[in-house]
Amino acid sequence: MTRLSVNINKIATLRNARGGNMPDVTKAALDCERFGAEGITVHPRPDERHIRYSDVREIRPLLSTEFNIEGNPIPSFINLVCEVVPDQVTLVPDAADAITSSSGWDTIKNRGFLTEVCRTFREKGIRTSIFIDADPAMAEGAALCGCDRVELYTEPYASGYASGREKAVAPFVATAERARQCGLEVNAGHDLNLENLEFFIRSIPWTAEVSIGHAIICDALYMGLETAIHEYLKRTGTHA
């Protein structure tokens, strides 16, 4: 069964655009759990333009499902993760000024650095996932870094879905298979939505977790947050 982790960054973006505490990010996280989400994901960036480090500290002790913190492992991020000790940390190589994540790690060139980061989190008992492109060699490299999972960067799949979904998903299947052969579990995220999610999971049924935020919040504008989460759960194989 593929777990659905709801990324609440966009809720924080809306709050920060106006100031104050509307919408309440902590309440939203707890509501997502109440509506059936099997995990909560946050991606704090150095400029705190959406999720703030203070949000991470506030949310952590209140959650009853998995908590996943993703981000570039700069010193302040590493310190935050070691402080709050989430269930999972996802290492993403995004620049400080990136609008959103746009590529995975080169796990071969960055093996030394990633190995040290994975070791740091392993010593805290935190499951570590490395964000990679759909390339079997990157899965092999990730395994050598000592992580537990890889997260497949699925924007290319989403972009190619309409013109040929079998072709679009093929490199992801190959990478997921290689990751499994290397002893890694597989997560996925970025631009997955109600149209393309079900086929992706059907193609890679051993996907452990999908992390989805932007699409869920967009759909929630029309159908409400609870209904949107239920619709995504249906497509992951969970009948909400």
Side-chain angles (χ1 to χ4, degrees):
M1 188 72 70
T2 301
R3 299 171 64 91
L4 173 66
S5 185
V6 176
N7 186 318
I8 59 172
N9 275 20
K10 284 300 186 296
I11 295 172
T13 300
L14 182 60
R15 175 200 61 189
N16 295 352
R18 185 68 179 264
N21 196 39
M22 182 183 292
D24 185 320
V25 172
T26 298
K27 181 179 184 300
L30 297 176
D31 284 340
C32 286
E33 287 189 328
R34 184 164 57 87
F35 298 151
E38 296 150 314
I40 298 296
T41 291
V42 294
H43 188 147
R45 287 185 165 88
D47 62 6
E48 298 195 324
R49 64 180 180 268
H50 32 64
I51 287 291
R52 301 166 181 157
Y53 280 30
S54 59
D55 293 324
V56 177
R57 295 184 176 99
E58 181 176 336
I59 292 169
R60 175 63 182 122
L62 303 177
L63 297 179
S64 58
T65 59
E66 273 202 1
F67 190 35
N68 172 47
I69 304 178
E70 59 183 29
N72 196 328
I74 60 175
S76 60
F77 178 87
I78 292 174
N79 291 339
L80 176 68
V81 172
C82 288
E83 174 190 342
V84 303
V85 190
D87 301 284
Q88 177 175 267
V89 58
T90 302
L91 311 180
V92 183
D94 54 350
D97 59 351
I99 295 176
T100 186
S101 306
S102 57
S103 65
W105 286 96
D106 184 327
T107 57
I108 298 171
K109 290 183 178 179
N110 294 283
R111 179 178 171 184
F113 172 69
L114 292 171
T115 298
E116 182 60 33
V117 173
C118 288
R119 182 182 301 115
T120 296
F121 293 139
R122 189 187 310 113
E123 290 172 352
K124 299 289 289 187
I126 304 168
R127 184 173 69 237
T128 305
S129 177
I130 297 178
F131 195 65
I132 65 170
D133 296 324
D135 180 346
M138 294 301 105
E140 294 174 8
L144 294 174
C145 295
C147 64
D148 304 289
R149 295 185 179 183
V150 290
E151 179 173 330
L152 302 180
Y153 169 55
T154 49
E155 190 279 333
Y157 162 73
S159 295
Y161 181 85
S163 58
R165 63 185 191 177
E166 289 81 8
K167 180 180 179 182
V169 83
F172 293 88
V173 174
T175 305
E177 288 177 342
R178 188 67 188 117
R180 184 165 62 168
Q181 291 166 0
C182 291
L184 300 176
E185 292 187 294
V186 176
N187 295 341
H190 211 286
D191 289 351
L192 295 174
N193 57 39
L194 289 176
E195 180 183 5
N196 60 41
L197 176 59
E198 187 172 9
F199 180 75
F200 184 89
I201 293 175
R202 192 161 70 244
S203 301
I204 309 173
W206 63 94
T207 303
E209 173 188 294
V210 289
S211 175
I212 305 175
H214 183 76
I216 287 179
I217 301 307
C218 289
D219 289 326
L221 292 174
Y222 293 93
M223 61 180 70
L225 183 58
E226 182 173 7
T227 300
I229 289 175
H230 287 186
E231 289 301 314
Y232 278 85
L233 287 170
K234 291 177 184 177
R235 285 157 177 80
T236 63
T238 301
H239 298 286

mmCIF file with all atom_site columns, all heavy atoms in Angstrom, residues 165-191:
data_model
loop_
_atom_site.group_PDB
_atom_site.id
_atom_site.type_symbol
_atom_site.label_atom_id
_atom_site.label_alt_id
_atom_site.label_comp_id
_atom_site.label_asym_id
_atom_site.label_entity_id
_atom_site.label_seq_id
_atom_site.pdbx_PDB_ins_code
_atom_site.Cartn_x
_atom_site.Cartn_y
_atom_site.Cartn_z
_atom_site.occupancy
_atom_site.B_iso_or_equiv
_atom_site.pdbx_formal_charge
_atom_site.auth_seq_id
_atom_site.auth_comp_id
_atom_site.auth_asym_id
_atom_site.auth_atom_id
_atom_site.pdbx_PDB_model_num
ATOM 1   N N   . ARG A 1 165 ? 1.875  8.007  -21.662 1.00 0.00 ? 165 ARG A N   1
ATOM 2   C CA  . ARG A 1 165 ? 2.173  7.695  -20.270 1.00 0.00 ? 165 ARG A CA  1
ATOM 3   C C   . ARG A 1 165 ? 3.102  6.488  -20.105 1.00 0.00 ? 165 ARG A C   1
ATOM 4   O O   . ARG A 1 165 ? 3.907  6.457  -19.173 1.00 0.00 ? 165 ARG A O   1
ATOM 5   C CB  . ARG A 1 165 ? 0.886  7.479  -19.485 1.00 0.00 ? 165 ARG A CB  1
ATOM 6   C CG  . ARG A 1 165 ? 0.020  6.308  -19.938 1.00 0.00 ? 165 ARG A CG  1
ATOM 7   C CD  . ARG A 1 165 ? -1.278 6.279  -19.167 1.00 0.00 ? 165 ARG A CD  1
ATOM 8   N NE  . ARG A 1 165 ? -2.012 5.030  -19.397 1.00 0.00 ? 165 ARG A NE  1
ATOM 9   C CZ  . ARG A 1 165 ? -3.160 4.725  -18.798 1.00 0.00 ? 165 ARG A CZ  1
ATOM 10  N NH1 . ARG A 1 165 ? -3.706 5.587  -17.950 1.00 0.00 ? 165 ARG A NH1 1
ATOM 11  N NH2 . ARG A 1 165 ? -3.755 3.566  -19.037 1.00 0.00 ? 165 ARG A NH2 1
ATOM 12  N N   . GLU A 1 166 ? 2.999  5.513  -21.000 1.00 0.00 ? 166 GLU A N   1
ATOM 13  C CA  . GLU A 1 166 ? 3.889  4.347  -20.898 1.00 0.00 ? 166 GLU A CA  1
ATOM 14  C C   . GLU A 1 166 ? 5.350  4.758  -21.107 1.00 0.00 ? 166 GLU A C   1
ATOM 15  O O   . GLU A 1 166 ? 6.242  4.326  -20.365 1.00 0.00 ? 166 GLU A O   1
ATOM 16  C CB  . GLU A 1 166 ? 3.498  3.267  -21.918 1.00 0.00 ? 166 GLU A CB  1
ATOM 17  C CG  . GLU A 1 166 ? 2.204  2.542  -21.612 1.00 0.00 ? 166 GLU A CG  1
ATOM 18  C CD  . GLU A 1 166 ? 0.970  3.327  -22.032 1.00 0.00 ? 166 GLU A CD  1
ATOM 19  O OE1 . GLU A 1 166 ? 1.137  4.388  -22.708 1.00 0.00 ? 166 GLU A OE1 1
ATOM 20  O OE2 . GLU A 1 166 ? -0.140 2.920  -21.690 1.00 0.00 ? 166 GLU A OE2 1
ATOM 21  N N   . LYS A 1 167 ? 5.587  5.594  -22.097 1.00 0.00 ? 167 LYS A N   1
ATOM 22  C CA  . LYS A 1 167 ? 6.938  6.088  -22.342 1.00 0.00 ? 167 LYS A CA  1
ATOM 23  C C   . LYS A 1 167 ? 7.413  6.962  -21.190 1.00 0.00 ? 167 LYS A C   1
ATOM 24  O O   . LYS A 1 167 ? 8.584  6.889  -20.778 1.00 0.00 ? 167 LYS A O   1
ATOM 25  C CB  . LYS A 1 167 ? 6.978  6.878  -23.655 1.00 0.00 ? 167 LYS A CB  1
ATOM 26  C CG  . LYS A 1 167 ? 8.350  7.433  -23.997 1.00 0.00 ? 167 LYS A CG  1
ATOM 27  C CD  . LYS A 1 167 ? 8.324  8.198  -25.316 1.00 0.00 ? 167 LYS A CD  1
ATOM 28  C CE  . LYS A 1 167 ? 9.697  8.775  -25.647 1.00 0.00 ? 167 LYS A CE  1
ATOM 29  N NZ  . LYS A 1 167 ? 9.656  9.557  -26.926 1.00 0.00 ? 167 LYS A NZ  1
ATOM 30  N N   . ALA A 1 168 ? 6.514  7.777  -20.664 1.00 0.00 ? 168 ALA A N   1
ATOM 31  C CA  . ALA A 1 168 ? 6.877  8.699  -19.590 1.00 0.00 ? 168 ALA A CA  1
ATOM 32  C C   . ALA A 1 168 ? 7.274  7.963  -18.318 1.00 0.00 ? 168 ALA A C   1
ATOM 33  O O   . ALA A 1 168 ? 8.195  8.380  -17.602 1.00 0.00 ? 168 ALA A O   1
ATOM 34  C CB  . ALA A 1 168 ? 5.726  9.660  -19.305 1.00 0.00 ? 168 ALA A CB  1
ATOM 35  N N   . VAL A 1 169 ? 6.601  6.860  -18.024 1.00 0.00 ? 169 VAL A N   1
ATOM 36  C CA  . VAL A 1 169 ? 6.850  6.169  -16.769 1.00 0.00 ? 169 VAL A CA  1
ATOM 37  C C   . VAL A 1 169 ? 8.014  5.181  -16.855 1.00 0.00 ? 169 VAL A C   1
ATOM 38  O O   . VAL A 1 169 ? 8.566  4.768  -15.825 1.00 0.00 ? 169 VAL A O   1
ATOM 39  C CB  . VAL A 1 169 ? 5.571  5.443  -16.278 1.00 0.00 ? 169 VAL A CB  1
ATOM 40  C CG1 . VAL A 1 169 ? 5.389  4.082  -16.956 1.00 0.00 ? 169 VAL A CG1 1
ATOM 41  C CG2 . VAL A 1 169 ? 5.575  5.290  -14.763 1.00 0.00 ? 169 VAL A CG2 1
ATOM 42  N N   . ALA A 1 170 ? 8.402  4.799  -18.079 1.00 0.00 ? 170 ALA A N   1
ATOM 43  C CA  . ALA A 1 170 ? 9.403  3.729  -18.249 1.00 0.00 ? 170 ALA A CA  1
ATOM 44  C C   . ALA A 1 170 ? 10.704 3.972  -17.483 1.00 0.00 ? 170 ALA A C   1
ATOM 45  O O   . ALA A 1 170 ? 11.189 3.068  -16.782 1.00 0.00 ? 170 ALA A O   1
ATOM 46  C CB  . ALA A 1 170 ? 9.686  3.516  -19.735 1.00 0.00 ? 170 ALA A CB  1
ATOM 47  N N   . PRO A 1 171 ? 11.322 5.160  -17.570 1.00 0.00 ? 171 PRO A N   1
ATOM 48  C CA  . PRO A 1 171 ? 12.576 5.353  -16.817 1.00 0.00 ? 171 PRO A CA  1
ATOM 49  C C   . PRO A 1 171 ? 12.377 5.311  -15.310 1.00 0.00 ? 171 PRO A C   1
ATOM 50  O O   . PRO A 1 171 ? 13.301 4.958  -14.568 1.00 0.00 ? 171 PRO A O   1
ATOM 51  C CB  . PRO A 1 171 ? 13.064 6.725  -17.287 1.00 0.00 ? 171 PRO A CB  1
ATOM 52  C CG  . PRO A 1 171 ? 11.876 7.400  -17.846 1.00 0.00 ? 171 PRO A CG  1
ATOM 53  C CD  . PRO A 1 171 ? 11.009 6.335  -18.405 1.00 0.00 ? 171 PRO A CD  1
ATOM 54  N N   . PHE A 1 172 ? 11.192 5.632  -14.857 1.00 0.00 ? 172 PHE A N   1
ATOM 55  C CA  . PHE A 1 172 ? 10.908 5.576  -13.421 1.00 0.00 ? 172 PHE A CA  1
ATOM 56  C C   . PHE A 1 172 ? 10.769 4.130  -12.953 1.00 0.00 ? 172 PHE A C   1
ATOM 57  O O   . PHE A 1 172 ? 11.232 3.784  -11.855 1.00 0.00 ? 172 PHE A O   1
ATOM 58  C CB  . PHE A 1 172 ? 9.645  6.390  -13.114 1.00 0.00 ? 172 PHE A CB  1
ATOM 59  C CG  . PHE A 1 172 ? 9.834  7.857  -13.333 1.00 0.00 ? 172 PHE A CG  1
ATOM 60  C CD1 . PHE A 1 172 ? 9.617  8.422  -14.582 1.00 0.00 ? 172 PHE A CD1 1
ATOM 61  C CD2 . PHE A 1 172 ? 10.268 8.677  -12.302 1.00 0.00 ? 172 PHE A CD2 1
ATOM 62  C CE1 . PHE A 1 172 ? 9.828  9.772  -14.802 1.00 0.00 ? 172 PHE A CE1 1
ATOM 63  C CE2 . PHE A 1 172 ? 10.477 10.031 -12.507 1.00 0.00 ? 172 PHE A CE2 1
ATOM 64  C CZ  . PHE A 1 172 ? 10.265 10.576 -13.763 1.00 0.00 ? 172 PHE A CZ  1
ATOM 65  N N   . VAL A 1 173 ? 10.159 3.311  -13.784 1.00 0.00 ? 173 VAL A N   1
ATOM 66  C CA  . VAL A 1 173 ? 10.067 1.890  -13.461 1.00 0.00 ? 173 VAL A CA  1
ATOM 67  C C   . VAL A 1 173 ? 11.466 1.283  -13.382 1.00 0.00 ? 173 VAL A C   1
ATOM 68  O O   . VAL A 1 173 ? 11.795 0.556  -12.439 1.00 0.00 ? 173 VAL A O   1
ATOM 69  C CB  . VAL A 1 173 ? 9.206  1.146  -14.494 1.00 0.00 ? 173 VAL A CB  1
ATOM 70  C CG1 . VAL A 1 173 ? 9.241  -0.364 -14.244 1.00 0.00 ? 173 VAL A CG1 1
ATOM 71  C CG2 . VAL A 1 173 ? 7.765  1.652  -14.459 1.00 0.00 ? 173 VAL A CG2 1
ATOM 72  N N   . ALA A 1 174 ? 12.302 1.606  -14.366 1.00 0.00 ? 174 ALA A N   1
ATOM 73  C CA  . ALA A 1 174 ? 13.662 1.066  -14.389 1.00 0.00 ? 174 ALA A CA  1
ATOM 74  C C   . ALA A 1 174 ? 14.452 1.505  -13.160 1.00 0.00 ? 174 ALA A C   1
ATOM 75  O O   . ALA A 1 174 ? 15.186 0.711  -12.548 1.00 0.00 ? 174 ALA A O   1
ATOM 76  C CB  . ALA A 1 174 ? 14.377 1.504  -15.659 1.00 0.00 ? 174 ALA A CB  1
ATOM 77  N N   . THR A 1 175 ? 14.307 2.763  -12.778 1.00 0.00 ? 175 THR A N   1
ATOM 78  C CA  . THR A 1 175 ? 15.032 3.279  -11.618 1.00 0.00 ? 175 THR A CA  1
ATOM 79  C C   . THR A 1 175 ? 14.496 2.677  -10.326 1.00 0.00 ? 175 THR A C   1
ATOM 80  O O   . THR A 1 175 ? 15.273 2.324  -9.422  1.00 0.00 ? 175 THR A O   1
ATOM 81  C CB  . THR A 1 175 ? 14.930 4.811  -11.571 1.00 0.00 ? 175 THR A CB  1
ATOM 82  O OG1 . THR A 1 175 ? 15.381 5.354  -12.817 1.00 0.00 ? 175 THR A OG1 1
ATOM 83  C CG2 . THR A 1 175 ? 15.766 5.389  -10.437 1.00 0.00 ? 175 THR A CG2 1
ATOM 84  N N   . ALA A 1 176 ? 13.184 2.549  -10.230 1.00 0.00 ? 176 ALA A N   1
ATOM 85  C CA  . ALA A 1 176 ? 12.586 1.959  -9.038  1.00 0.00 ? 176 ALA A CA  1
ATOM 86  C C   . ALA A 1 176 ? 12.993 0.494  -8.888  1.00 0.00 ? 176 ALA A C   1
ATOM 87  O O   . ALA A 1 176 ? 13.230 0.014  -7.773  1.00 0.00 ? 176 ALA A O   1
ATOM 88  C CB  . ALA A 1 176 ? 11.070 2.083  -9.095  1.00 0.00 ? 176 ALA A CB  1
ATOM 89  N N   . GLU A 1 177 ? 13.067 -0.210 -10.001 1.00 0.00 ? 177 GLU A N   1
ATOM 90  C CA  . GLU A 1 177 ? 13.504 -1.611 -9.957  1.00 0.00 ? 177 GLU A CA  1
ATOM 91  C C   . GLU A 1 177 ? 14.956 -1.709 -9.487  1.00 0.00 ? 177 GLU A C   1
ATOM 92  O O   . GLU A 1 177 ? 15.296 -2.574 -8.674  1.00 0.00 ? 177 GLU A O   1
ATOM 93  C CB  . GLU A 1 177 ? 13.335 -2.251 -11.332 1.00 0.00 ? 177 GLU A CB  1
ATOM 94  C CG  . GLU A 1 177 ? 11.884 -2.512 -11.702 1.00 0.00 ? 177 GLU A CG  1
ATOM 95  C CD  . GLU A 1 177 ? 11.729 -3.082 -13.097 1.00 0.00 ? 177 GLU A CD  1
ATOM 96  O OE1 . GLU A 1 177 ? 12.679 -2.956 -13.905 1.00 0.00 ? 177 GLU A OE1 1
ATOM 97  O OE2 . GLU A 1 177 ? 10.657 -3.648 -13.380 1.00 0.00 ? 177 GLU A OE2 1
ATOM 98  N N   . ARG A 1 178 ? 15.799 -0.814 -9.990  1.00 0.00 ? 178 ARG A N   1
ATOM 99  C CA  . ARG A 1 178 ? 17.210 -0.851 -9.583  1.00 0.00 ? 178 ARG A CA  1
ATOM 100 C C   . ARG A 1 178 ? 17.336 -0.480 -8.107  1.00 0.00 ? 178 ARG A C   1
ATOM 101 O O   . ARG A 1 178 ? 18.157 -1.076 -7.379  1.00 0.00 ? 178 ARG A O   1
ATOM 102 C CB  . ARG A 1 178 ? 18.026 0.116  -10.436 1.00 0.00 ? 178 ARG A CB  1
ATOM 103 C CG  . ARG A 1 178 ? 19.520 -0.012 -10.190 1.00 0.00 ? 178 ARG A CG  1
ATOM 104 C CD  . ARG A 1 178 ? 20.036 -1.347 -10.673 1.00 0.00 ? 178 ARG A CD  1
ATOM 105 N NE  . ARG A 1 178 ? 21.416 -1.600 -10.293 1.00 0.00 ? 178 ARG A NE  1
ATOM 106 C CZ  . ARG A 1 178 ? 21.808 -2.588 -9.490  1.00 0.00 ? 178 ARG A CZ  1
ATOM 107 N NH1 . ARG A 1 178 ? 20.912 -3.425 -8.978  1.00 0.00 ? 178 ARG A NH1 1
ATOM 108 N NH2 . ARG A 1 178 ? 23.075 -2.764 -9.201  1.00 0.00 ? 178 ARG A NH2 1
ATOM 109 N N   . ALA A 1 179 ? 16.560 0.477  -7.659  1.00 0.00 ? 179 ALA A N   1
ATOM 110 C CA  . ALA A 1 179 ? 16.598 0.851  -6.248  1.00 0.00 ? 179 ALA A CA  1
ATOM 111 C C   . ALA A 1 179 ? 16.214 -0.341 -5.369  1.00 0.00 ? 179 ALA A C   1
ATOM 112 O O   . ALA A 1 179 ? 16.873 -0.621 -4.359  1.00 0.00 ? 179 ALA A O   1
ATOM 113 C CB  . ALA A 1 179 ? 15.652 2.021  -5.993  1.00 0.00 ? 179 ALA A CB  1
ATOM 114 N N   . ARG A 1 180 ? 15.170 -1.043 -5.773  1.00 0.00 ? 180 ARG A N   1
ATOM 115 C CA  . ARG A 1 180 ? 14.736 -2.202 -4.993  1.00 0.00 ? 180 ARG A CA  1
ATOM 116 C C   . ARG A 1 180 ? 15.809 -3.284 -4.975  1.00 0.00 ? 180 ARG A C   1
ATOM 117 O O   . ARG A 1 180 ? 16.047 -3.913 -3.942  1.00 0.00 ? 180 ARG A O   1
ATOM 118 C CB  . ARG A 1 180 ? 13.420 -2.743 -5.565  1.00 0.00 ? 180 ARG A CB  1
ATOM 119 C CG  . ARG A 1 180 ? 12.834 -3.895 -4.772  1.00 0.00 ? 180 ARG A CG  1
ATOM 120 C CD  . ARG A 1 180 ? 11.397 -4.166 -5.128  1.00 0.00 ? 180 ARG A CD  1
ATOM 121 N NE  . ARG A 1 180 ? 11.224 -4.550 -6.523  1.00 0.00 ? 180 ARG A NE  1
ATOM 122 C CZ  . ARG A 1 180 ? 10.088 -5.068 -7.008  1.00 0.00 ? 180 ARG A CZ  1
ATOM 123 N NH1 . ARG A 1 180 ? 9.048  -5.234 -6.201  1.00 0.00 ? 180 ARG A NH1 1
ATOM 124 N NH2 . ARG A 1 180 ? 9.988  -5.397 -8.277  1.00 0.00 ? 180 ARG A NH2 1
ATOM 125 N N   . GLN A 1 181 ? 16.470 -3.480 -6.105  1.00 0.00 ? 181 GLN A N   1
ATOM 126 C CA  . GLN A 1 181 ? 17.559 -4.454 -6.166  1.00 0.00 ? 181 GLN A CA  1
ATOM 127 C C   . GLN A 1 181 ? 18.708 -4.078 -5.241  1.00 0.00 ? 181 GLN A C   1
ATOM 128 O O   . GLN A 1 181 ? 19.419 -4.956 -4.727  1.00 0.00 ? 181 GLN A O   1
ATOM 129 C CB  . GLN A 1 181 ? 18.066 -4.569 -7.605  1.00 0.00 ? 181 GLN A CB  1
ATOM 130 C CG  . GLN A 1 181 ? 17.097 -5.218 -8.566  1.00 0.00 ? 181 GLN A CG  1
ATOM 131 C CD  . GLN A 1 181 ? 17.484 -4.996 -10.023 1.00 0.00 ? 181 GLN A CD  1
ATOM 132 O OE1 . GLN A 1 181 ? 18.480 -4.349 -10.324 1.00 0.00 ? 181 GLN A OE1 1
ATOM 133 N NE2 . GLN A 1 181 ? 16.685 -5.534 -10.936 1.00 0.00 ? 181 GLN A NE2 1
ATOM 134 N N   . CYS A 1 182 ? 18.876 -2.774 -5.024  1.00 0.00 ? 182 CYS A N   1
ATOM 135 C CA  . CYS A 1 182 ? 19.940 -2.283 -4.144  1.00 0.00 ? 182 CYS A CA  1
ATOM 136 C C   . CYS A 1 182 ? 19.509 -2.243 -2.680  1.00 0.00 ? 182 CYS A C   1
ATOM 137 O O   . CYS A 1 182 ? 20.272 -1.779 -1.819  1.00 0.00 ? 182 CYS A O   1
ATOM 138 C CB  . CYS A 1 182 ? 20.372 -0.881 -4.578  1.00 0.00 ? 182 CYS A CB  1
ATOM 139 S SG  . CYS A 1 182 ? 21.232 -0.820 -6.164  1.00 0.00 ? 182 CYS A SG  1
ATOM 140 N N   . GLY A 1 183 ? 18.307 -2.698 -2.396  1.00 0.00 ? 183 GLY A N   1
ATOM 141 C CA  . GLY A 1 183 ? 17.828 -2.735 -1.029  1.00 0.00 ? 183 GLY A CA  1
ATOM 142 C C   . GLY A 1 183 ? 17.177 -1.464 -0.536  1.00 0.00 ? 183 GLY A C   1
ATOM 143 O O   . GLY A 1 183 ? 16.982 -1.301 0.677   1.00 0.00 ? 183 GLY A O   1
ATOM 144 N N   . LEU A 1 184 ? 16.818 -0.570 -1.465  1.00 0.00 ? 184 LEU A N   1
ATOM 145 C CA  . LEU A 1 184 ? 16.200 0.691  -1.087  1.00 0.00 ? 184 LEU A CA  1
ATOM 146 C C   . LEU A 1 184 ? 14.700 0.659  -1.313  1.00 0.00 ? 184 LEU A C   1
ATOM 147 O O   . LEU A 1 184 ? 14.219 0.070  -2.288  1.00 0.00 ? 184 LEU A O   1
ATOM 148 C CB  . LEU A 1 184 ? 16.788 1.840  -1.912  1.00 0.00 ? 184 LEU A CB  1
ATOM 149 C CG  . LEU A 1 184 ? 18.287 2.084  -1.801  1.00 0.00 ? 184 LEU A CG  1
ATOM 150 C CD1 . LEU A 1 184 ? 18.701 3.194  -2.757  1.00 0.00 ? 184 LEU A CD1 1
ATOM 151 C CD2 . LEU A 1 184 ? 18.690 2.426  -0.373  1.00 0.00 ? 184 LEU A CD2 1
ATOM 152 N N   . GLU A 1 185 ? 13.962 1.318  -0.444  1.00 0.00 ? 185 GLU A N   1
ATOM 153 C CA  . GLU A 1 185 ? 12.544 1.558  -0.692  1.00 0.00 ? 185 GLU A CA  1
ATOM 154 C C   . GLU A 1 185 ? 12.417 2.792  -1.581  1.00 0.00 ? 185 GLU A C   1
ATOM 155 O O   . GLU A 1 185 ? 13.351 3.584  -1.711  1.00 0.00 ? 185 GLU A O   1
ATOM 156 C CB  . GLU A 1 185 ? 11.797 1.745  0.621   1.00 0.00 ? 185 GLU A CB  1
ATOM 157 C CG  . GLU A 1 185 ? 11.731 0.472  1.459   1.00 0.00 ? 185 GLU A CG  1
ATOM 158 C CD  . GLU A 1 185 ? 10.845 0.645  2.672   1.00 0.00 ? 185 GLU A CD  1
ATOM 159 O OE1 . GLU A 1 185 ? 11.209 1.441  3.561   1.00 0.00 ? 185 GLU A OE1 1
ATOM 160 O OE2 . GLU A 1 185 ? 9.796  -0.029 2.731   1.00 0.00 ? 185 GLU A OE2 1
ATOM 161 N N   . VAL A 1 186 ? 11.235 2.954  -2.177  1.00 0.00 ? 186 VAL A N   1
ATOM 162 C CA  . VAL A 1 186 ? 11.036 4.005  -3.178  1.00 0.00 ? 186 VAL A CA  1
ATOM 163 C C   . VAL A 1 186 ? 9.875  4.912  -2.792  1.00 0.00 ? 186 VAL A C   1
ATOM 164 O O   . VAL A 1 186 ? 8.759  4.445  -2.541  1.00 0.00 ? 186 VAL A O   1
ATOM 165 C CB  . VAL A 1 186 ? 10.764 3.385  -4.562  1.00 0.00 ? 186 VAL A CB  1
ATOM 166 C CG1 . VAL A 1 186 ? 10.459 4.481  -5.594  1.00 0.00 ? 186 VAL A CG1 1
ATOM 167 C CG2 . VAL A 1 186 ? 11.956 2.538  -5.011  1.00 0.00 ? 186 VAL A CG2 1
ATOM 168 N N   . ASN A 1 187 ? 10.155 6.213  -2.746  1.00 0.00 ? 187 ASN A N   1
ATOM 169 C CA  . ASN A 1 187 ? 9.140  7.247  -2.624  1.00 0.00 ? 187 ASN A CA  1
ATOM 170 C C   . ASN A 1 187 ? 9.060  8.003  -3.949  1.00 0.00 ? 187 ASN A C   1
ATOM 171 O O   . ASN A 1 187 ? 9.914  7.831  -4.822  1.00 0.00 ? 187 ASN A O   1
ATOM 172 C CB  . ASN A 1 187 ? 9.482  8.235  -1.501  1.00 0.00 ? 187 ASN A CB  1
ATOM 173 C CG  . ASN A 1 187 ? 9.478  7.596  -0.133  1.00 0.00 ? 187 ASN A CG  1
ATOM 174 O OD1 . ASN A 1 187 ? 8.902  6.536  0.077   1.00 0.00 ? 187 ASN A OD1 1
ATOM 175 N ND2 . ASN A 1 187 ? 10.128 8.244  0.822   1.00 0.00 ? 187 ASN A ND2 1
ATOM 176 N N   . ALA A 1 188 ? 8.062  8.857  -4.086  1.00 0.00 ? 188 ALA A N   1
ATOM 177 C CA  . ALA A 1 188 ? 7.933  9.645  -5.317  1.00 0.00 ? 188 ALA A CA  1
ATOM 178 C C   . ALA A 1 188 ? 7.245  10.965 -5.009  1.00 0.00 ? 188 ALA A C   1
ATOM 179 O O   . ALA A 1 188 ? 6.412  11.040 -4.096  1.00 0.00 ? 188 ALA A O   1
ATOM 180 C CB  . ALA A 1 188 ? 7.141  8.878  -6.376  1.00 0.00 ? 188 ALA A CB  1
ATOM 181 N N   . GLY A 1 189 ? 7.587  11.987 -5.784  1.00 0.00 ? 189 GLY A N   1
ATOM 182 C CA  . GLY A 1 189 ? 6.927  13.264 -5.585  1.00 0.00 ? 189 GLY A CA  1
ATOM 183 C C   . GLY A 1 189 ? 7.336  14.321 -6.582  1.00 0.00 ? 189 GLY A C   1
ATOM 184 O O   . GLY A 1 189 ? 8.433  14.273 -7.130  1.00 0.00 ? 189 GLY A O   1
ATOM 185 N N   . HIS A 1 190 ? 6.456  15.218 -6.836  1.00 0.00 ? 190 HIS A N   1
ATOM 186 C CA  . HIS A 1 190 ? 6.583  16.424 -7.662  1.00 0.00 ? 190 HIS A CA  1
ATOM 187 C C   . HIS A 1 190 ? 5.664  16.327 -8.881  1.00 0.00 ? 190 HIS A C   1
ATOM 188 O O   . HIS A 1 190 ? 5.881  15.521 -9.783  1.00 0.00 ? 190 HIS A O   1
ATOM 189 C CB  . HIS A 1 190 ? 8.011  16.707 -8.124  1.00 0.00 ? 190 HIS A CB  1
ATOM 190 C CG  . HIS A 1 190 ? 8.276  18.182 -8.280  1.00 0.00 ? 190 HIS A CG  1
ATOM 191 N ND1 . HIS A 1 190 ? 7.787  18.922 -9.324  1.00 0.00 ? 190 HIS A ND1 1
ATOM 192 C CD2 . HIS A 1 190 ? 8.945  19.053 -7.492  1.00 0.00 ? 190 HIS A CD2 1
ATOM 193 C CE1 . HIS A 1 190 ? 8.147  20.182 -9.190  1.00 0.00 ? 190 HIS A CE1 1
ATOM 194 N NE2 . HIS A 1 190 ? 8.854  20.294 -8.072  1.00 0.00 ? 190 HIS A NE2 1
ATOM 195 N N   . ASP A 1 191 ? 4.626  17.163 -8.860  1.00 0.00 ? 191 ASP A N   1
ATOM 196 C CA  . ASP A 1 191 ? 3.644  17.283 -9.946  1.00 0.00 ? 191 ASP A CA  1
ATOM 197 C C   . ASP A 1 191 ? 2.776  16.051 -10.128 1.00 0.00 ? 191 ASP A C   1
ATOM 198 O O   . ASP A 1 191 ? 2.117  15.903 -11.163 1.00 0.00 ? 191 ASP A O   1
ATOM 199 C CB  . ASP A 1 191 ? 4.322  17.663 -11.269 1.00 0.00 ? 191 ASP A CB  1
ATOM 200 C CG  . ASP A 1 191 ? 4.820  19.103 -11.280 1.00 0.00 ? 191 ASP A CG  1
ATOM 201 O OD1 . ASP A 1 191 ? 4.491  19.855 -10.331 1.00 0.00 ? 191 ASP A OD1 1
ATOM 202 O OD2 . ASP A 1 191 ? 5.540  19.489 -12.207 1.00 0.00 ? 191 ASP A OD2 1
#
